Amino acid sequence: MFKEKIMVEVIFAIAFLSFLVFSDASTASMIGVNYGRLGNNLPSPYESIELLKTMKAGRVKLYDANPEILRLLSGTNLHVSIMVPNEQISAVAANQSVANRWVRDNVLSYYPNTMIRYILVGNEVLSNKDDQSLWYDLVPAMRNIKKSIDEHNIHNIKIGTPLAMDILQTSFPPSSGEFRLDIQRNNLLLPLLRFLNWTKSYFFIDVYPYFSWSQNPSSISLEYALFEGSHTYTDPVSRYVYTNLLDQMLDSVVFAMEKLGFYSIRLAIAETGWPNGGDYDEIGANTYNAATYNRNLVRRITSQPPIGTPARPESAIPTFIFSLYDENQKGGPGTERHWGLLHPNGRPIYDIDLTGQVPEAELSKLPQPTNNGPFHGKLWCVVTKDFVNEMDLGHVLEFACRRNETCDEIAPGKSCYQPVSIVSHANYAFSSYWAKFRKDGETCHFNGLAVQSTIDPSHGSCKFPYVSL
């Protein structure tokens, strides 16, 4: 019944999107969308591909090479990016026959009817300091994949790897951009840059102005992060003038490459976006800012001629917005689950035109946000209203109660034992656990079963622990 309801809503959403936001059916955007699937309530791959087509996305980026999705993409105009997952990199690097088999199974089985244009090897591999052996397998795996597709005379697929901004040791001002010393000392960057330069591929970067701004809102203007306003920044060395934070961040990567002697490797944005929601303690995460950022991003990337960045003027930058859906099974802070362009029922969270052709005035207005500054008050961590499985809740409750003194007050005879209900006890346990261990990086998530609340669940003599901000 739930799946049938989702299907009906998705069909309506496709019609709604077509009517509301998009006009010229012959125009597909050069903007791509990341299609993540970490949710237990998402539309089927078929419905998702239909939504992407209706949205006039020009590209779609997958985090694997899912056979069903690649079959469904056959015959569409979508340019497709597939991924060698991190756990397969070492095998592909160690053995050319493994790489050949990967290409046979995941490329040749679908190409050219499915327009695969990028093969990305791994995801943010150089950010994982816990498994540095993978660092050394990255470029050999890329070489083996390249050799395999060359043997089949496939020349329009580029091989790359998406990296995060934490590969930089310094990024401000942009002219000071320099790669981390640990990956420079271990001779990891030069082979990678040589490969990208030789193959005329892209340096794929995950770049999120939201994080740079939200971690330092007193020093960075929100309007500057959202491509709004008249604020500019002049680099004291290059004298380039910046009008937005994204260009600043991209050029710091450009300067880092140039310091190692690489002046012409093109940039591609593997991920960017802005969260449409989050926890109370995450400032600036709202639909207004998300719509503003992504609408302005699209207009900039689709401009003709291309605008580029100050260090790379008139250089087109392939760009993938993160992400297609809000994904409710992602861990971490609340923003992690709120980057979507669409709700799980397929309807838009806010209007956006991926072609860059619809005037701003024709897109729906959004109410001004209230969380662009820090939250001040008390917060509790309680069971989400839409949990469906008491067994799952019981397992998470047991986990929360394992740490010292977390659940003492819900023991028989103690002040919070009554009422004897799994939800009431979980509310106490989650609030207690989060209050005790938030300073250690713990979040109010508990496998997606908990949310932050400003409503005090205390009752009678039972006083619930809380976090004060």
Side-chain angles (χ1 to χ4, degrees):
M1 193 70 178
F2 176 74
K3 284 291 184 185
E4 291 175 358
K5 182 172 181 287
I6 287 288
M7 180 63 172
V8 171
E9 289 178 324
V10 167
I11 292 171
F12 177 78
I14 291 171
F16 178 77
L17 276 168
S18 224
F19 172 76
L20 180 62
V21 183
F22 308 105
S23 51
D24 181 3
S26 67
T27 304
S29 172
M30 296 308 293
I31 292 284
V33 179
N34 284 274
Y35 176 17
R37 307 194 309 279
L38 293 177
N40 60 10
N41 57 354
L42 301 181
S44 69
Y46 171 78
E47 296 155 358
S48 299
I49 300 307
E50 290 302 304
L51 286 164
L52 282 165
K53 288 159 60 177
T54 303
M55 296 167 71
K56 298 185 179 62
R59 316 166 194 260
V60 60
K61 176 167 160 275
L62 310 179
Y63 289 89
D64 54 18
N66 182 275
E68 180 184 7
I69 296 174
L70 290 176
R71 281 194 298 270
L72 290 166
L73 286 164
S74 176
T76 71
N77 291 323
L78 285 159
H79 288 196
V80 181
S81 172
I82 61 176
M83 185 173 286
V84 180
N86 287 10
E87 61 270 18
Q88 297 179 24
I89 290 175
S90 294
V92 169
N95 193 319
Q96 184 63 52
S97 65
V98 174
N100 293 343
R101 186 164 61 248
W102 194 94
V103 168
R104 182 193 68 211
D105 294 345
N106 299 294
V107 179
L108 301 181
S109 296
Y110 311 99
Y111 180 88
N113 290 336
T114 297
M115 295 197 297
I116 298 170
R117 292 295 181 265
Y118 308 109
I119 300 174
L120 300 182
V121 179
N123 192 41
E124 299 187 349
V125 170
L126 298 183
S127 298
N128 184 3
K129 297 185 180 182
D130 295 329
D131 186 10
Q132 296 186 16
S133 63
L134 202 60
W135 294 2
Y136 299 93
D137 292 333
L138 178 59
V139 174
M142 296 169 71
R143 290 194 191 111
N144 284 351
I145 294 290
K146 173 65 175 170
K147 182 178 179 181
S148 184
I149 65 169
D150 283 351
E151 287 176 354
H152 295 281
N153 294 313
I154 298 173
H155 303 298
N156 62 348
I157 295 179
K158 296 299 183 184
I159 316 297
T161 184
L163 301 173
M165 286 296 294
D166 65 2
I167 59 167
L168 296 183
Q169 184 85 12
T170 57
S171 61
F172 183 79
S175 60
S176 73
E178 184 176 4
F179 291 113
R180 279 192 349 242
L181 295 180
D182 59 335
I183 54 178
Q184 286 197 64
R185 292 193 194 105
N186 291 316
N187 197 29
L188 295 162
L189 281 168
L190 287 177
L192 173 61
L193 295 173
R194 288 188 189 115
F195 175 87
L196 298 177
N197 195 52
W198 164 59
T199 62
K200 295 181 171 56
S201 188
Y202 295 89
F203 191 106
F204 285 87
I205 187 74
D206 296 345
V207 53
Y208 287 101
Y210 168 74
F211 291 121
S212 296
W213 168 78
S214 63
Q215 292 162 11
N216 201 8
S218 61
S219 299
I220 301 173
S221 159
L222 176 59
E223 290 73 20
Y224 188 67
L226 295 173
F227 305 92
E228 298 270 290
S230 57
H231 176 76
T232 62
Y233 171 75
T234 302
D235 188 296
V237 177
S238 70
R239 306 309 299 172
Y240 290 144
V241 178
Y242 292 90
T243 60
N244 65 83
L245 184 55
L246 179 70
D247 282 358
Q248 244 187 249
M249 297 171 74
L250 291 173
D251 273 359
S252 67
V253 178
V254 170
F255 279 105
M257 288 193 289
E258 291 183 352
K259 284 182 173 66
L260 296 179
F262 296 88
Y263 294 87
S264 58
I265 297 175
R266 296 172 293 177
L267 288 179
I269 299 175
E271 293 181 11
T272 192
W274 196 282
N276 61 63
D279 293 330
Y280 285 95
D281 54 351
E282 295 176 291
I283 68 169
N286 53 66
T287 55
Y288 182 92
N289 291 345
T292 301
Y293 178 85
N294 283 327
R295 289 172 181 176
N296 287 334
L297 171 77
V298 169
R299 278 194 290 272
R300 184 175 184 82
I301 296 299
T302 59
S303 64
Q304 291 297 329
I307 295 176
T309 68
R312 295 278 182 87
E314 301 179 8
S315 177
I317 305 173
T319 297
F320 294 88
I321 293 176
F322 188 83
S323 61
L324 183 58
Y325 299 115
D326 278 357
E327 298 171 68
N328 68 353
Q329 291 186 313
K330 297 191 73 174
T335 50
E336 287 296 306
R337 294 172 288 286
H338 292 283
W339 291 87
L341 299 175
L342 305 179
H343 292 289
N345 64 10
R347 297 195 65 170
I349 294 173
Y350 48 84
D351 292 353
I352 184 169
D353 161 42
L354 296 182
T355 71
Q357 296 182 346
V358 176
E360 176 71 21
E362 295 184 23
L363 301 176
S364 66
K365 303 299 182 185
L366 293 166
Q368 289 291 324
T370 59
N371 69 334
N372 282 346
F375 173 83
H376 297 290
K378 298 177 181 178
L379 292 172
W380 290 264
C381 184
V382 299
V383 176
T384 181
K385 292 179 181 178
D386 57 0
F387 92 96
V388 293
N389 191 313
E390 286 199 359
M391 184 175 292
D392 290 343
L393 186 59
H395 290 320
V396 178
L397 173 59
E398 182 182 354
F399 162 80
C401 289
R402 286 188 194 135
R403 307 259 321 236
N404 293 342
E405 301 178 353
T406 300
C407 295
D408 285 3
E409 291 304 310
I410 56 174
K414 292 300 185 77
S415 63
C416 296
Y417 179 64
Q418 298 287 345
V420 184
S421 97
I422 190 169
V423 172
S424 178
H425 284 188
N427 284 342
Y428 182 90
F430 293 170
S431 291
S432 177
Y433 185 96
W434 187 46
K436 284 178 180 293
F437 303 113
R438 180 177 178 272
K439 65 180 182 299
D440 299 325
E442 297 288 357
T443 61
C444 175
H445 182 233
F446 296 98
N447 292 346
L449 297 179
V451 294
Q452 293 181 15
S453 174
T454 57
I455 300 173
D456 185 356
S458 300
H459 50 85
S461 61
C462 173
K463 302 301 179 186
F464 277 55
Y466 58 85
V467 167
S468 182
L469 298 179

